[in-house]
């Protein structure tokens, strides 16, 4: 219940009590003092206990006593004037009723106050228990996630070592196939059917080679050679490299690279790969054009690099898997780009986070250390 609705309920309870006391008093005063009405007076006198008990029940000790005072205030003139008697000697039990009002108000109020305190303590304990349960649940989830990551890393390192060997072996025959295909292609003229076939062969071999190179980069990461490097310069060199691809996709490039940006303590070659993967992903997410925004600035003891696009965004399902090696949502994707980015940043004690909105775009944020940590 909100505090507003609680105070509203209190308000109505008080109105109810006031009306109750006033009604009983009216009946009480309007009833004559003749002997035949004596019974009615007895009833009205006791009816005053109802609001006192209710008030004590609702508002505790203060409520019980306050209502007893109010009731006495209404009842006292009746004792003094209507019965016209001596305050103490005429009908002592009638006068003593006022004392009883207070005793009942105080006792009921005290007991209900105890009850209310116990209920409040219980609610607090329940809330605390719920909070601890939530905390525990979150910690358990984090633990499960960490365990999954650990298992994945373990699987990857075993799988990586094995397949890196195979991949290495694959590259040699690939180079021979490519060389042979090039020799064969020299025998045909552009326009010949055979020439086109051989061109397709060379293209596919190149693609396969790129997959193997990508995989080797991922499976056998080189330890970073970290040195003070200017992130703006690395980004600019990658943008130069991707200039044509960006223009071809009708993408507008906006850069906000902070002047006097402190150097980041990173391996420039590996960071080139990180930025290249992010920019290529952004370009691929905007096949019909859009805006690619690149921003750098310093925050605390880190360099922040933002890459935001106005592309397809990433669905909830994809978000869970996008850093997993070989996960791709593209027909001809390799699914290694972000896994490599993640691994490189891990080696740099950097961070990658992202925000995304479906059909609106995605923003990747990279944080790099300024000093050696
Ligand atoms: N900027 C982006 N916009 C939309 N989706 C993205 C973006 N970057 C990455 N993704 C999603 O993450 C997946 C994994 O990316 P990545 O590891 O680079 O592999 P690939 O590009 O070969 O698919 C992509 O297939 C895509 O679904
Ligand atoms: Mg990619």
């Amino acid at each position: 219940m909100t505090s507003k609705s609680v105070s509203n309920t209190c308000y109505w309870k008080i109105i109810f009590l006031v009306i109750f006391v006033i009604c009983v008093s009216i009946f009480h005063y309007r009833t004559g003092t003749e002997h035949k009405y004596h019974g009615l007076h007895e009833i009205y006198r006791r009816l005053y206990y109802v609001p006192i008990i209710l008030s004590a029940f609702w508002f505790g000790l203060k409520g019980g006593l306050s209502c007893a005072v109010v009731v006495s205030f209404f009842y006292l003139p009746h004792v003094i004037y209507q019965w016209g008697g001596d305050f103490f000697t005429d009908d002592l039990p009638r006068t003593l009723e006022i004392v009883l009002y207070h005793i009942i108000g105080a006792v009921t109020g005290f007991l209900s106050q105890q009850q209310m305190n116990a209920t409040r303590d219980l609610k607090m304990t329940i809330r605390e228990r719920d909070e601890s349960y939530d905390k525990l649940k979150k910690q358990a989830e984090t633990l499960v996630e960490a365990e999954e990551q650990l298992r994945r890393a373990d699987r990857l390192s075993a799988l990586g070592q094995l397949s890196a060997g195979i991949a290495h072996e694959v590259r040699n025959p690939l180079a021979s196939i490519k060389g042979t295909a090039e020799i064969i292609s020299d025998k045909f003229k552009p326009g010949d059917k055979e020439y086109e076939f051989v061109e397709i062969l060379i293209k596919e071999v190149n693609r396969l080679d790129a997959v193997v190179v990508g995989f080797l980069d991922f499976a056998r990461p080189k330890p970073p050679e970290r040195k003070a490097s200017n992130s703006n310069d690395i980004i600019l060199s990658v943008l130069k490299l991707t200039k044509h691809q960006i223009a071809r996709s009708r993408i507008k490039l906006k850069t906000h690279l902070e002047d006097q940006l402190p150097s980041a303590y990173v391996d420039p070659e590996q960071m080139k790969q990180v930025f290249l993967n992010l920019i290529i992903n952004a370009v691929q997410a905007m096949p019909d054009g859009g805006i690619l925004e690149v921003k750098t600035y310093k925050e605390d003891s880190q360099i922040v690099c933002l890459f935001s696009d106005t592309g397809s965004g990433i669905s909830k399902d994809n978000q869970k898997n996008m850093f997993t090696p070989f996960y791709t949502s593209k027909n001809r994707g390799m699914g290694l780009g972000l896994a490599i980015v993640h691994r490189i940043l891990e080696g740099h004690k950097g961070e990658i986070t992202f925000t995304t909105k479906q059909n609106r775009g995605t923003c990747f944020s990279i944080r790099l250390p300024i000093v050696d940590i």
Side-chain angles (χ1 to χ4, degrees), residues 142-255:
T142 319
L143 213 65
V144 170
E145 210 174 290
E147 193 196 344
E148 178 53 35
Q149 264 177 10
L150 216 65
R151 274 213 199 123
R152 195 162 64 192
D154 202 33
R155 260 198 323 258
L156 278 175
S157 86
L159 192 77
Q161 279 170 11
L162 181 75
S163 26
I166 299 174
H168 199 74
E169 290 307 310
V170 169
R171 285 200 78 193
N172 294 337
L174 269 185
S176 317
I177 295 172
K178 192 177 164 191
T180 316
E182 274 165 355
I183 293 168
I184 297 173
S185 86
D186 287 344
K187 301 227 179 312
F188 300 104
K189 286 191 284 306
D192 290 350
K193 250 202 159 51
E194 289 82 352
Y195 183 85
E196 270 171 41
F197 286 144
V198 180
E199 281 299 298
I200 292 172
L201 187 69
I202 294 173
K203 219 165 98 192
E204 288 305 309
V205 168
N206 281 340
R207 202 178 99 75
L208 215 54
D209 194 48
V211 173
V212 176
V213 169
F215 178 72
L216 282 175
D217 277 347
F218 176 74
R220 276 207 218 134
K222 281 188 253 116
E225 287 172 25
R226 302 166 78 191
K227 55 184 178 198
S229 324
N230 187 322
S231 308
N232 285 351
D233 288 348
I234 305 176
I235 290 177
L236 286 171
S237 74
V238 174
L239 285 174
K240 205 166 160 190
L241 218 68
T242 47
K243 196 168 69 182
H244 294 296
Q245 213 172 335
I246 292 173
R248 219 183 308 131
S249 304
R250 284 172 289 123
I251 290 168
K252 194 166 177 242
L253 176 68
K254 288 187 185 170
T255 48

Side-chain angles (χ1 to χ4, degrees), residues 92-130:
L92 199 58
R94 212 183 304 141
T95 314
L96 281 181
E97 196 84 44
I98 292 176
V99 180
L100 271 180
Y101 288 156
H102 284 82
I103 292 175
I104 296 292
V107 171
T108 326
F110 176 74
L111 291 177
S112 98
Q113 185 87 53
Q114 300 280 93
Q115 183 69 32
M116 279 192 244
N117 288 349
T119 314
R120 196 197 48 217
D121 288 352
L122 195 72
K123 274 188 186 158
M124 213 142 84
T125 315
I126 291 176
R127 201 180 320 126
E128 274 169 11
R129 192 205 58 192
D130 285 351

